Amino acid sequence: LFVTFYVDERTYYRKQEWAVSHEDEVSAQIRQYLDEDRYEAFYGYCDAYHLTGWTAGPFLKYRPQMEAVRIGMFIDQRANEYLTADSVYGQNSAMESISGLLPEFYNRDSLCYQSREVMDPDEVNADLDRIYEHMEEKLMVYFGLTEEQARSLSSMSEEEILLLLEETRDE
């Protein structure tokens, strides 16, 4: 067991080391995924090199985008649970999860906290704006929200979001 753990741990760090030694190449690929709005591919690429949980090194500047996409993936998963639920209980559980995740998703200060010293605020804000737009478009489809309702989510509390989602379900 110890040998397996050591080998796995060493492989983990080797991937990070490779990414650092090929920083230009890795950063260019990350940037391409973000510029093309291919967020799941972006997150998968970062995760493959174990950059998603890393709070040091040259890729820390992408942490806000990684966190936003990670939370967005959870929201997507819960939305799928909502859409496929075979009971009101299942739908309610999924909506409660979504309403709890969205305030975290829209909290730029929290997303940027760990990388605030190394990130380019203009670049990060532009990326987050596009990630938010992408999520709002999905939520409009998933829940039948209007464009105005979807845009207002960023300033709503967990309770307000839950109420809005329940109202759209009842319509």
Side-chain angles (χ1 to χ4, degrees), residues 55-64 112-121 123-124:
T55 57
F59 303 104
L60 181 59
K61 63 187 174 186
Y62 296 109
R63 185 149 175 86
C112 297
Y113 181 76
Q114 290 180 325
S115 60
R116 67 188 179 283
E117 302 295 325
V118 296
M119 67 180 208
D120 175 351
E123 182 177 276
V124 169

Side-chain angles (χ1 to χ4, degrees), residues 27-35 62 65 123 127 130:
S27 290
Q29 184 62 58
I30 287 172
R31 191 73 254 151
Q32 181 179 349
Y33 285 136
L34 288 170
D35 291 343
Y62 296 109
Q65 298 95 318
E123 182 177 276
D127 288 340
R130 286 195 325 277

